[in-house]
Amino acid sequence: MRTLPRRLGVAIVVAAIVVLLSIKLNSFRDYQIAEIAFEVTAVAGLTVLTGLSGQISLGHAAFMAIGGYTTALLLLHLAWPFYAALLVAAVVTAVAGAVVGAAAARLRGPYLAGATLLLGVALPAIAYAWPATFGGDQGLNVAFTTPAFLGVNFPPTRWLAWVATLVALIVLVLLANLNHSRVGRNWRAVRDDDVAAALDGINVAAARILAFVVSATCAGLAGALLAIVTTLVGPGSFTLTVSISLLTAAVLGGLGSLAGALWGSLVIILVPTYVTDVATSHGLSASVGSNIPIVAYGVLLILVMLVFPQGIQGGLTRLFSLFFSGPDQKPRTWRTAPTPHVTPSADQAPASQHEKEGTL
Amino acid sequence: MNRSRRLRWQAAAIMTATVLGVAACSSSSSSSTSSSSSSSSSSSAALTASAPGITPTTITIGSHQPLTGPAAPGYDEIAPASTAYFDYVNANGGVYGRKIIYKYLNDAYDPTTTASVVRQLVLQDNVYAIFNGLGTPTHLAVVSFLNSEKVPDVFVASGCECWDEPSTYPETFGWQLDYVREGKILGQYVAQHFKGEKVAYFYQDDEFGMDGVKGLDDEIPASQVVSKQSYVDTNVNIAPQVAALRASGAKVVISFSIPAFTALLKLDSLKLGFNPTLVVSDVGSDPITLSGLLESFAKQGGATVNGNQLTQGIITDEYLPALSTSDSWYNLFVKIHNQYDAKEPLDGNFFYGMAVAYTFVEAMLKAGRNPTRADLTSAIESGLPQGPMIAPFAYGSDDHDGVTGAYIGVIQNGVVVQQGSVMTTDTTPTGAITAYTGTEQTAPASGVPSP
């Protein structure tokens, strides 16, 4: 019980920092804060699914698509206020998560990976089938205006950064509480040994489905945020590459750790722009400079996996315990997952990235 | 355990050293832009920072370009060519003494990335205008953002009709031949030269392809069209579509595709022994880009082909002069190319990049010595000289389309050979297609447009 005030305190401190940063930094950085916020929301959901309940999803962008399109359609056709659309998007993706979760609870390892991969590839393609409703390849433009009380000169990106951060923080606090509750303990029990968990009276299938519902809801919220932040939802926003990069962020940050979700998202969003800036400021030729971010991304991934096999958060915990080796330094074992049913190998993500970028 | 950990650190150290090495190499090859100051000779008012992105000495403009990904082959040469032209102008007095700084970022032809990089350019780098942003799906992701920020969005590198909406998007201007006009001109040629033959379409499933089909349908009798197949640029498996085209028995296939998919269409047709007359939209038909793609795709599939042989006989259209040494623009652009951009091939993309940059300099000169953002858009709306184009521009206060005409060409031995005269038309279904009687302009001796 006493951990809840602590988590709320952390969330409020983070919110204060984000507000300060958003005022201090330029509008583009505000936009990046908003991007990081929706990335964190999705990655946190995925890290709970894979790291805590031991199920893998290679198609999480599909849930983002459901959330994004729901929001876009509600805002476009019914002119709903954004927060209402956000709630509906969460509910719709939760239902979708329950359906997929019910199927997923019967599948293991590579079969689950295959099924979710199928979902990730097939679902965004629905947009092509009904271009009149979903705008086809172009997608739907989402109009989002800042509330009137902020005045006309208030930068819209700052407001977006605030909204997205608020949603991300609420999601993180709720997930942290869930993980520490009986639900979280059940998930870890199912992940580590489902037979033992069943013998202990845990309903394994229900636990697995619930994990999918929670995770899908997070992805749906992330998709809704993406819709208003980028003012566009289209099949191009929810490709397989997006699904893989979500998983990459989760693994990079430290599977099963919510703080890790933040580190992973920071890397995914900030490294490409930073490296591009460095490459262009060094006057590299376009053909070299434009490929440097992909190289840097791959190198970073390999380095983290070599040096911190438990992800960035796992590495930080280890470093911390090295420097401050106190009596209670033993890291809590649940924070980082052992082996989920399918361990996403470090080279999987950059390979797919490369496939998309390179071969054609 | 101990050994594996040591190995791990060794590997990490090697990786780090490699990265540092790469960084060091890159910094040694850094090219500083020439800083020869050019004092403006004209004696009018002092140069001021009249708009975002404009200082007394510079004009900063930005763009999103596909430097990696499915649309990169060929198109990634356009922005370097534009940069070369701007470098040339900068070295020859600039625009009223100001140097043009052209910052283009890679969006990999992915709309979400476009949304991000264009915001970086506008919100962080404070560019004066977005120039020649490439791609229909990509640019659609930012067109409303640019217009709400009142950033001039000039000469979009796409022929979508969506840029010609002056009331909704007053900041946005097309430049190249729009796909409706292009479809009509290609359609008329096919209707006249392949009377009664079975015709099939192959097109990209977005505004690009659909605008083209709209224009084609205006000219080709519906009874002649036996099949319409589309593709999505994220899926390279087009075998089912090609099989359907073959099954339709079409003698002519008209393709509104980006170069990579024109090449795939050709190769997949070959595999099935299907050999129709190919008619390809200008954006997907640059012979040099195509033959390179054909050879590299075939190589990936373990085959060897002669690219030039495969492009032989493809019918296309052109709104820029033929790449020939008898053309004054070609000679000018080749001279600049050899000086500033010699690494890129001398193909249609290089010519495109130079020509659109030339048009931009024309517009900037017309916008005045100390232009605001609105001055640029009203300068374009008051009309621009046709410059290197083979037909006039449509620009007006109620028309944001670019060039209005093209000629039909056939690829022979890797070059587009003009057939017949330049045809101009409008975007309406019934608008006549007429031969253009005006003459092409000659390139200025200085290589820089006069104000």
Side-chain angles (χ1 to χ4, degrees), chain B residues 9-10 21 27 29 49-50 59 65 74 115 132 156 272 309 311-312 315 319 338 341 345 381 421 440-441:
Chain B
W9 281 105
Q10 275 173 356
S27 56
S29 72
S50 54
I59 300 167
Q65 299 284 327
N132 202 223
V156 182
L272 297 180
Q309 221 164 20
T311 59
Q312 185 77 9
I315 299 167
Y319 48 84
N338 293 342
D341 186 30
E381 282 188 342
S421 51
E440 197 191 313
Q441 299 182 347

Short mmCIF file of all heavy atoms in Angstrom, two decimals, chain B residues 9-10 21 27 29 49-50 59 65 74 115 132 156 272 309 311-312 315 319 338 341 345 381 421 440-441:
data_model
loop_
_atom_site.label_atom_id
_atom_site.label_comp_id
_atom_site.label_asym_id
_atom_site.label_seq_id
_atom_site.Cartn_x
_atom_site.Cartn_y
_atom_site.Cartn_z
N TRP B 9 33.58 -8.29 -23.49
CA TRP B 9 34.16 -6.95 -23.40
C TRP B 9 35.05 -6.66 -24.60
O TRP B 9 35.08 -5.53 -25.09
CB TRP B 9 34.95 -6.79 -22.10
CG TRP B 9 34.03 -6.55 -20.96
CD1 TRP B 9 33.68 -7.42 -19.99
CD2 TRP B 9 33.30 -5.34 -20.69
NE1 TRP B 9 32.78 -6.85 -19.13
CE2 TRP B 9 32.53 -5.58 -19.53
CE3 TRP B 9 33.21 -4.10 -21.32
CZ2 TRP B 9 31.69 -4.61 -18.99
CZ3 TRP B 9 32.39 -3.14 -20.77
CH2 TRP B 9 31.64 -3.39 -19.62
N GLN B 10 35.77 -7.74 -25.05
CA GLN B 10 36.61 -7.53 -26.22
C GLN B 10 35.75 -7.13 -27.41
O GLN B 10 36.05 -6.18 -28.13
CB GLN B 10 37.37 -8.80 -26.55
CG GLN B 10 38.65 -8.93 -25.75
CD GLN B 10 39.30 -10.27 -25.96
OE1 GLN B 10 38.76 -11.13 -26.64
NE2 GLN B 10 40.47 -10.46 -25.38
N GLY B 21 36.26 4.88 -35.37
CA GLY B 21 36.99 4.95 -36.63
C GLY B 21 36.13 5.53 -37.73
O GLY B 21 36.56 6.44 -38.45
N SER B 27 34.67 12.65 -40.26
CA SER B 27 34.96 14.05 -39.98
C SER B 27 36.09 14.55 -40.87
O SER B 27 36.14 15.72 -41.21
CB SER B 27 35.31 14.25 -38.52
OG SER B 27 36.38 13.42 -38.16
N SER B 29 36.54 13.76 -43.93
CA SER B 29 36.06 14.03 -45.29
C SER B 29 35.03 15.14 -45.32
O SER B 29 34.37 15.36 -46.31
CB SER B 29 35.45 12.76 -45.88
OG SER B 29 34.22 12.53 -45.24
N ALA B 49 16.51 40.44 -42.08
CA ALA B 49 15.94 39.12 -41.75
C ALA B 49 14.42 39.25 -41.87
O ALA B 49 13.71 39.44 -40.90
CB ALA B 49 16.33 38.71 -40.35
N SER B 50 13.92 39.19 -43.11
CA SER B 50 12.54 39.57 -43.38
C SER B 50 11.53 38.49 -43.05
O SER B 50 10.33 38.76 -43.00
CB SER B 50 12.40 39.96 -44.85
OG SER B 50 12.89 38.92 -45.66
N ILE B 59 19.35 32.17 -47.03
CA ILE B 59 17.96 31.69 -47.11
C ILE B 59 18.03 30.20 -46.80
O ILE B 59 18.70 29.46 -47.52
CB ILE B 59 17.38 31.88 -48.52
CG1 ILE B 59 17.39 33.34 -48.93
CG2 ILE B 59 15.98 31.29 -48.62
CD1 ILE B 59 17.13 33.54 -50.41
N GLN B 65 13.05 13.81 -48.24
CA GLN B 65 13.41 13.04 -49.43
C GLN B 65 13.61 11.58 -49.04
O GLN B 65 14.07 11.29 -47.95
CB GLN B 65 14.74 13.57 -50.02
CG GLN B 65 14.69 15.02 -50.47
CD GLN B 65 13.96 15.20 -51.79
OE1 GLN B 65 14.01 14.34 -52.65
NE2 GLN B 65 13.27 16.33 -51.94
N GLY B 74 17.13 6.18 -57.60
CA GLY B 74 16.81 7.22 -58.55
C GLY B 74 16.43 8.52 -57.88
O GLY B 74 17.09 9.53 -58.04
N ALA B 115 6.27 13.17 -41.15
CA ALA B 115 5.65 14.07 -40.18
C ALA B 115 6.69 14.57 -39.19
O ALA B 115 6.71 15.74 -38.82
CB ALA B 115 4.52 13.34 -39.46
N ASN B 132 10.12 21.13 -52.65
CA ASN B 132 10.27 19.88 -53.39
C ASN B 132 10.17 18.63 -52.50
O ASN B 132 10.83 17.63 -52.76
CB ASN B 132 11.62 19.90 -54.14
CG ASN B 132 11.65 18.95 -55.33
OD1 ASN B 132 12.63 18.25 -55.54
ND2 ASN B 132 10.60 18.91 -56.10
N VAL B 156 6.11 20.70 -54.83
CA VAL B 156 6.07 19.33 -54.30
C VAL B 156 6.50 18.37 -55.40
O VAL B 156 6.05 18.48 -56.55
CB VAL B 156 4.65 18.98 -53.82
CG1 VAL B 156 4.63 17.59 -53.22
CG2 VAL B 156 4.15 20.00 -52.82
N LEU B 272 6.92 -14.69 -66.90
CA LEU B 272 5.72 -15.36 -67.38
C LEU B 272 5.65 -15.39 -68.90
O LEU B 272 4.64 -15.80 -69.47
CB LEU B 272 4.47 -14.66 -66.82
CG LEU B 272 4.31 -14.68 -65.30
CD1 LEU B 272 3.04 -13.96 -64.89
CD2 LEU B 272 4.29 -16.10 -64.78
N GLN B 309 18.56 -3.20 -72.83
CA GLN B 309 17.78 -4.02 -73.76
C GLN B 309 16.32 -4.12 -73.29
O GLN B 309 15.40 -4.06 -74.10
CB GLN B 309 18.38 -5.42 -73.80
CG GLN B 309 18.45 -6.02 -75.17
CD GLN B 309 19.40 -7.20 -75.16
OE1 GLN B 309 19.71 -7.79 -74.13
NE2 GLN B 309 19.88 -7.56 -76.33
N THR B 311 14.68 -1.97 -71.38
CA THR B 311 13.91 -0.73 -71.41
C THR B 311 13.59 -0.31 -72.84
O THR B 311 12.78 0.59 -73.06
CB THR B 311 14.67 0.43 -70.73
OG1 THR B 311 15.90 0.62 -71.41
CG2 THR B 311 14.93 0.15 -69.27
N GLN B 312 14.21 -0.96 -73.80
CA GLN B 312 14.01 -0.63 -75.21
C GLN B 312 12.52 -0.66 -75.57
O GLN B 312 11.82 -1.62 -75.31
CB GLN B 312 14.79 -1.65 -76.07
CG GLN B 312 14.79 -1.39 -77.55
CD GLN B 312 15.77 -0.27 -77.91
OE1 GLN B 312 16.54 0.19 -77.08
NE2 GLN B 312 15.72 0.18 -79.15
N ILE B 315 7.23 3.21 -73.87
CA ILE B 315 6.66 4.52 -74.23
C ILE B 315 6.44 5.31 -72.95
O ILE B 315 5.98 4.76 -71.94
CB ILE B 315 5.33 4.33 -74.98
CG1 ILE B 315 5.57 3.54 -76.28
CG2 ILE B 315 4.67 5.67 -75.27
CD1 ILE B 315 4.29 3.04 -76.93
N TYR B 319 8.22 16.11 -69.53
CA TYR B 319 7.92 17.55 -69.49
C TYR B 319 9.19 18.38 -69.36
O TYR B 319 9.14 19.58 -69.17
CB TYR B 319 6.95 17.87 -68.35
CG TYR B 319 7.36 17.26 -67.04
CD1 TYR B 319 8.27 17.90 -66.22
CD2 TYR B 319 6.84 16.04 -66.64
CE1 TYR B 319 8.66 17.32 -65.02
CE2 TYR B 319 7.21 15.46 -65.46
CZ TYR B 319 8.13 16.10 -64.64
OH TYR B 319 8.52 15.53 -63.47
N ASN B 338 29.06 18.66 -63.33
CA ASN B 338 30.46 18.24 -63.31
C ASN B 338 31.24 19.01 -62.25
O ASN B 338 32.22 18.51 -61.70
CB ASN B 338 31.10 18.44 -64.67
CG ASN B 338 30.49 17.49 -65.69
OD1 ASN B 338 29.85 16.49 -65.31
ND2 ASN B 338 30.65 17.80 -66.96
N ASP B 341 28.47 18.08 -58.48
CA ASP B 341 27.69 16.89 -58.14
C ASP B 341 28.12 15.71 -59.00
O ASP B 341 27.34 14.87 -59.37
CB ASP B 341 26.19 17.23 -58.41
CG ASP B 341 25.25 16.12 -57.96
OD1 ASP B 341 25.60 15.42 -57.01
OD2 ASP B 341 24.19 15.96 -58.57
N PRO B 345 24.74 10.06 -61.34
CA PRO B 345 24.63 9.82 -62.79
C PRO B 345 23.88 10.95 -63.51
O PRO B 345 23.07 11.64 -62.91
CB PRO B 345 23.86 8.51 -62.87
CG PRO B 345 23.16 8.39 -61.58
CD PRO B 345 23.99 9.09 -60.56
N GLU B 381 2.02 32.83 -57.52
CA GLU B 381 0.65 32.98 -58.03
C GLU B 381 0.55 33.97 -59.18
O GLU B 381 -0.36 33.89 -60.01
CB GLU B 381 -0.30 33.39 -56.90
CG GLU B 381 -0.67 32.23 -56.01
CD GLU B 381 -1.76 32.56 -55.00
OE1 GLU B 381 -1.98 33.76 -54.76
OE2 GLU B 381 -2.36 31.62 -54.45
N SER B 421 4.80 16.33 -81.26
CA SER B 421 5.02 17.62 -80.64
C SER B 421 4.57 17.62 -79.19
O SER B 421 3.96 16.67 -78.69
CB SER B 421 4.28 18.70 -81.43
OG SER B 421 2.94 18.30 -81.61
N GLU B 440 10.49 26.52 -76.79
CA GLU B 440 11.24 26.31 -75.56
C GLU B 440 12.18 27.50 -75.36
O GLU B 440 12.70 28.05 -76.33
CB GLU B 440 12.05 25.02 -75.70
CG GLU B 440 12.56 24.47 -74.40
CD GLU B 440 13.57 23.35 -74.62
OE1 GLU B 440 13.29 22.46 -75.44
OE2 GLU B 440 14.62 23.40 -73.99
N GLN B 441 12.36 27.91 -74.10
CA GLN B 441 13.29 29.00 -73.84
C GLN B 441 14.73 28.49 -73.85
O GLN B 441 14.95 27.30 -73.67
CB GLN B 441 12.98 29.63 -72.47
CG GLN B 441 11.57 30.21 -72.43
CD GLN B 441 11.25 30.88 -71.10
OE1 GLN B 441 11.96 30.72 -70.12
NE2 GLN B 441 10.17 31.63 -71.09
#
